Structures are given as C-alpha cells and as structure tokens.
Amino acid sequence: MKNSSMTGACMALGAAVLWGTTGTAQSFAPPQTSPYWIGALRLAIACLFFGAYAARGWRGGGARVAAGGRRMAGGILLAGLCMAAYNLTFFAGVKATGVAVGTALAIGSGPVWAGVLQFALTGRAPQGVWWLGTALAVAGAGLMVAVAGGGLRLDAGGITLCLLAGLAYAGYTLISQRLVRRAPPAIVTLWVFGVAAAISAPAAFIVAGPFSSTAAGWTVVTYLGVVSTGVAFLLFSHALQYISGPSGVTLALAEPVTAFALAVFVVGERPPATAFAGLGMVLAGLAAVVWTEARGRRGGKAA
C-alpha cells in the first residue's frame, strides 16, 4: 500500500509538471489566437489521444463502463461538465482579474474545495497534517504567482469565476476518482473529455467567434492537447487509483513550481527572493501531503 500510494503521488506530480508547461507553451501562440479556443481545442485533441491510447483495451473497458449503467453515465456526464466549467471559468476569470490574482485563486482554492467536498460527501475530513501541508503549498503558490506580475485587478465577478474554477476542478477530481476505480482510466478520461469538448467548443464559438490561427497556433494547440492535457490527465487519472482526491488536487500545486523553473531557465526571468521563499513553501507543503498520503495508506485509509 505504501509503494502504491507513492507511485500515485509521483504520477500526480508528473501530471502537475506537464500542466506547468502550459503557460510557456501558450506564450508561443499567435496573439490573435483566442484563449477560449485554445482551451476547447486542447480538450478535443486530448480526446483523440485518449481514444488512440485506449483502443487496444476498448472492448473490456467499454463493457465495464456499459455495465455501470446510469450511475457510470451520470458520473461521466457530471465530470465532463466540471471539466468544461473549469476550462471556461478559469480563462474568463483570469481575463477579468489578471494572471496573478486569477491563477492564485483558481489553483489555491482547489485543494480547499476538495477537502470540503470530501467531508460533505463522505463525512471524512483530511488529516490535520494534510491541511497544514495544503495551507503551506497554497500560500507558497500564491506568493510565487503574485510576484510574477500581470497586474492586480480585484474584480468581483472575476474573483467569483476563479473560485468557481477551483470548485469545478475539485469536483472533477473527486468524481473521476470513483470512475477510474470502476473502469480503465484512459476510457474514463476519453468519455469525460468528450463531454467537456462538446460543451466547450460551442461556448468558445459563442464567446470568441470562429477559430482562426496559423500553423504556429496549431502547433501550440496540438502540444497542449497531447502533452499538457492528454498525457498529464492520463497520469492524473491513474494516480487517483492510489491516492485520495484532495491529495491529488493539492499535489497539482507542483504546477507553478514547473512554471517558475521554466520562467527562470528558459525565459530568463530573474524573480525576487520572495518568489524563492514561495517555492520553498510549496515544496515543503507538497512533502507534507505526500507523507500524509503514504502514512494514511499504510494505516489502511486515505488522507
């Protein structure tokens, strides 16, 4: 159990590392490429990736999804709605509040929402050390993002959208955790992201009009769809077989650590000392969550 929980934690951290490349990759997209379309198309391309990956095991996995009946279908629909809601509210919230405030609110609120939702649904609250580690990681991530710039705009509507993005992501994680324990993760993610893409594409058309981009834009979207969405969420879905949902959401806070490293070593930015302090807080918080998860699994229960 201990080894499996550590494997799950490493998978979740690997997913977060890939998510952390999203901002750097998106910066290479042409200015006229709508972020709403980038979000919608990355979901659609990820579906193609999941379909190709799941093709060999489709017969058995598809049968398990069908055997789940309405409960499985309802969970897939709800998880897809959550992913679509996250995709749209995050981009809209960041546009209204600025990158710094929007990202900090969306990423930082996710673990808190996950802990609250788990308690509401199961009556089991995460352990005290989990809350301590989560608080450290959230505060550190907020500090890292805040010093990155991007303008401080305290827009009430934007703040609400970012908090809803965190709630939607937490909801997706907890629902997906139940689904991937009943059917293969690749097939679950295929169905979930299919629902999300079917919702997001029309929404992007309504908000941003027809999609228009260049070859460079398509290259960015393809990378985002295959690597930072497809491979990343496949890793994350597998991780949820071995770790608790709230821990998975908290471990995703490794995403700003990757973005920070890319900003320093690829873009050439020179962040202030406070950003490095935030980095240390995130790493300490993630270590506490991993320790709590391994300890909880060794004792026969998840954090």
Side-chain angles (χ1 to χ4, degrees), residues 33-137:
T33 306
S34 166
Y36 295 100
W37 271 115
I38 289 177
L41 289 175
R42 71 170 186 160
L43 295 177
I45 292 172
C47 285
L48 297 177
F49 170 81
F50 295 137
Y53 184 88
R56 296 178 64 180
W58 176 260
R59 181 175 298 178
R64 288 167 66 180
V65 171
R70 291 185 179 180
R71 178 178 294 184
M72 198 77 177
I76 287 171
L77 178 60
L78 189 55
L81 287 171
C82 285
M83 178 51 64
Y86 169 75
N87 216 46
L88 296 172
T89 55
F90 177 75
F91 283 118
V94 167
K95 184 177 181 180
T97 62
V99 175
V101 174
T103 305
L105 285 172
I107 294 178
S109 66
V112 178
W113 282 122
V116 171
L117 286 175
Q118 177 178 279
F119 179 72
L121 295 173
T122 67
R124 293 187 297 105
Q127 299 175 29
V129 178
W130 181 91
W131 284 108
L132 175 61
T134 296
L136 267 176

Side-chain angles (χ1 to χ4, degrees), residues 82 86 109-115 117 164-176 245 249:
C82 285
Y86 169 75
S109 66
V112 178
W113 282 122
L117 286 175
L164 288 175
L167 174 60
Y169 177 66
Y172 159 80
T173 301
L174 294 181
I175 297 167
S176 293
V249 178

Side-chain angles (χ1 to χ4, degrees), residues 185-264:
I187 292 176
V188 169
T189 48
L190 171 61
W191 282 106
V192 168
F193 276 70
V195 171
I199 296 171
S200 297
F205 181 83
I206 293 171
V207 173
F211 176 70
S212 177
S213 189
T214 63
W218 275 107
T219 300
V220 170
V221 169
T222 301
Y223 170 83
L224 293 175
V226 174
V227 180
S228 65
T229 303
V231 176
F233 274 98
L234 188 60
L235 279 172
F236 190 66
S237 296
H238 278 284
L240 292 176
Q241 295 177 307
Y242 309 112
I243 61 175
S244 70
S247 290
V249 178
T250 298
L251 291 173
L253 289 169
E255 176 182 350
V257 174
T258 303
F260 180 85
L262 289 173
V264 172

Side-chain angles (χ1 to χ4, degrees), residues 14 44 211 269-270 281 297:
F211 176 70
E269 294 183 2
R270 293 294 178 265
M281 292 169 64
R297 291 288 175 174

